[in-house]
């Protein structure tokens, strides 16, 4: 029996717990998720390093999963646009059962190996693309079908599973095992297995974006201001990075369509927005190099 399916021996009377004890037990069990991801840090780092040159060459991130794993993939990909201005067409999510499965469980969809392969082939992947295959069991047929097709295309494959020596990690170019063990509610991998996947995906994509110069220091300088909150954030980020007052920062931001990187380089180097944009293009969006170029 898979670790994720094995009944938890520590909480066999869970249904009798007082509410406070029940909540505490469920929360405490989640700490194992953090430990599991921390143990997999070397493999996650290897995946980041393998993915970076492909993404720099124009590749796409493709998330594949079923059920909770699929939804977590969708979540990670969707959030890359507002956080890092990552184009939607370069963050694609496939979930067993199609888009409707994001909101309503589609029974049996995860068992369709061929559909996983079909969905991947329709993307016409190439050697620059990076496919993240997520499955708590590590043996979900839909995900394994997608894995086989992705490997045939020459794309980089990264497998995430919550059981050791799982097919999805064993057969991927980079395998990441998040060994969370049995769930406090037996087999319910929406609990700590899901939490570990969320942490691992956040870590992978965020680190990749840092490597792509979408962060300056620890500031979110490639944020896409799609709402009032984010517009305000562009101002506060620019003020923090440059030490300039709000009025000055807002004026320059308005000139560059609220692109924080451009505003920082323009203000710090006392140059025009147009010149700042050219410097950032020359240095592939690297704020530090753009600033150093004028020193």
């Amino acid at each position: 029996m898979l670790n994720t399916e094995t009944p938890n021996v520590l909480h066999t009377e869970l249904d009798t717990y007082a509410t406070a004890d029940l909540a505490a037990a469920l929360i405490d069990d989640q700490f194992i998720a953090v430990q599991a991801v921390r143990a997999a840090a070397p493999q996650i780092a290897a995946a980041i390093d393998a993915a970076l040159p492909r993404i720099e060459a124009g590749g796409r991130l493709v998330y594949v999963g079923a059920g909770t794993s699929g939804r977590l993939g969708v979540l990670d990909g969707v959030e890359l646009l507002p956080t890092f201005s990552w184009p939607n067409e370069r963050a694609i999510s496939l979930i067993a059962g199609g888009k409707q499965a994001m909101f309503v469980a589609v029974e049996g969809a995860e068992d369709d190996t061929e559909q996983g392969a079909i969905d991947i082939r329709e993307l016409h992947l190439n050697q620059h693309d990076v496919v993240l295959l997520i499955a708590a069991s590590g043996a979900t047929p839909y995900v394994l079908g997608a894995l086989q097709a992705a490997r045939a295309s020459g794309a980089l494959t990264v497998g995430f599973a919550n059981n050791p020596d799982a097919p999805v990690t064993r057969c991927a170019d980079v395998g990441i095992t998040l060994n969370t063990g049995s769930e406090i509610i037996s087999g319910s991998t929406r609990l700590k297995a899901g939490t570990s996947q969320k942490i691992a995906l956040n870590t992978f994509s965020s680190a990749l974006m840092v490597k792509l110069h979408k962060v300056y220091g620890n500031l979110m300088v490639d944020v896409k201001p799609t709402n009032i909150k984010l517009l305000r954030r562009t101002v506060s980020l620019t003020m923090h990075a440059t030490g300039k007052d709000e009025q000055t920062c807002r004026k320059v931001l308005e000139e560059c369509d609220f692109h924080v990187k451009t505003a920082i380089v323009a203000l710090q180097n006392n140059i025009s927005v147009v010149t700042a944009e050219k410097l950032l293009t020359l240095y592939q969006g690297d704020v530090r190099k753009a600033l150093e170029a004028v020193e």
Side-chain angles (χ1 to χ4, degrees):
M1 183 179 291
L2 298 174
N3 288 357
T4 51
E5 300 292 332
T6 302
N8 188 302
V9 298
L10 299 179
H11 299 281
T12 57
E13 304 295 325
L14 188 70
D15 61 331
T16 69
Y17 287 11
T19 304
D21 294 334
L22 177 59
L26 287 163
I27 292 166
D28 289 347
D29 200 52
Q30 294 284 339
F31 283 101
I32 297 173
V34 180
Q35 296 167 359
V37 181
R38 188 67 187 84
Q43 290 72 44
I44 296 173
I48 295 163
D49 286 338
L52 182 60
R54 295 176 186 247
I55 296 301
E56 287 178 326
R60 297 168 289 177
L61 289 172
V62 180
Y63 299 80
V64 183
T68 297
S69 299
R71 295 182 190 102
L72 289 169
V74 172
L75 179 62
D76 198 73
V78 166
E79 291 178 342
L80 296 180
L81 173 65
T83 309
F84 302 110
S85 293
W86 188 252
N88 282 332
E89 62 271 18
R90 294 184 67 190
I92 301 167
S93 299
L94 300 179
I95 182 169
K99 290 183 179 180
Q100 62 178 337
M102 187 67 190
F103 305 99
V104 180
V106 179
E107 300 302 329
E110 70 173 51
D111 298 324
D112 195 337
T113 306
E114 182 56 29
Q115 190 60 53
I118 291 171
D119 289 350
I120 281 290
R121 286 195 289 266
E122 287 180 349
L123 297 179
H124 303 290
L125 300 180
N126 60 50
Q127 71 273 20
H128 300 310
D129 294 318
V130 177
V131 184
L132 309 177
L133 303 120
I134 317 147
S137 69
T140 306
Y142 176 86
V143 176
L144 294 181
L147 170 59
Q148 184 178 15
R151 284 183 60 85
S153 74
L156 175 71
T157 55
V158 182
F160 296 80
N162 294 90
N163 287 292
D165 196 32
V168 75
T169 52
R170 193 170 60 244
C171 299
D173 295 308
V174 182
I176 297 172
T177 300
L178 309 170
N179 191 7
T180 46
S182 61
E183 295 287 358
I184 190 170
I185 297 176
S186 301
S188 183
T189 52
R190 62 183 289 271
L191 298 174
K192 65 175 177 281
T195 300
S196 72
Q197 291 172 6
K198 177 71 166 66
I199 299 170
L201 291 171
N202 268 182
T203 301
F204 173 85
S205 61
S206 297
L208 191 60
M209 294 297 138
V210 172
K211 292 283 190 178
L212 291 168
H213 311 302
K214 292 182 173 293
V215 172
Y216 171 54
N218 65 346
L219 303 180
M220 189 196 303
V221 293
D222 235 348
V223 59
K224 190 172 185 64
T226 54
N227 56 46
I228 293 174
K229 177 191 73 174
L230 294 179
L231 276 170
R232 289 173 180 158
R233 186 176 296 170
T234 65
V235 177
S236 63
L237 286 168
T238 306
M239 291 173 63
H240 185 86
T242 64
K244 306 294 184 181
D245 62 82
E246 180 176 351
Q247 184 178 358
T248 300
C249 291
R250 186 176 291 275
K251 181 179 181 296
V252 174
L253 282 164
E254 288 173 350
E255 293 175 10
C256 61
D257 198 25
F258 288 86
H259 189 217
V260 177
K261 278 185 176 182
T262 303
I264 291 172
V265 174
L267 286 165
Q268 289 292 78
N269 287 341
N270 195 26
I271 57 179
S272 70
V273 162
V274 172
T275 303
E277 289 172 341
K278 289 179 179 178
L279 279 172
L280 284 167
T281 299
L282 178 64
Y283 292 106
Q284 291 79 49
D286 189 329
V287 173
R288 288 189 185 278
K289 288 186 177 179
L291 291 174
E292 292 168 358
V294 183
E295 292 179 354

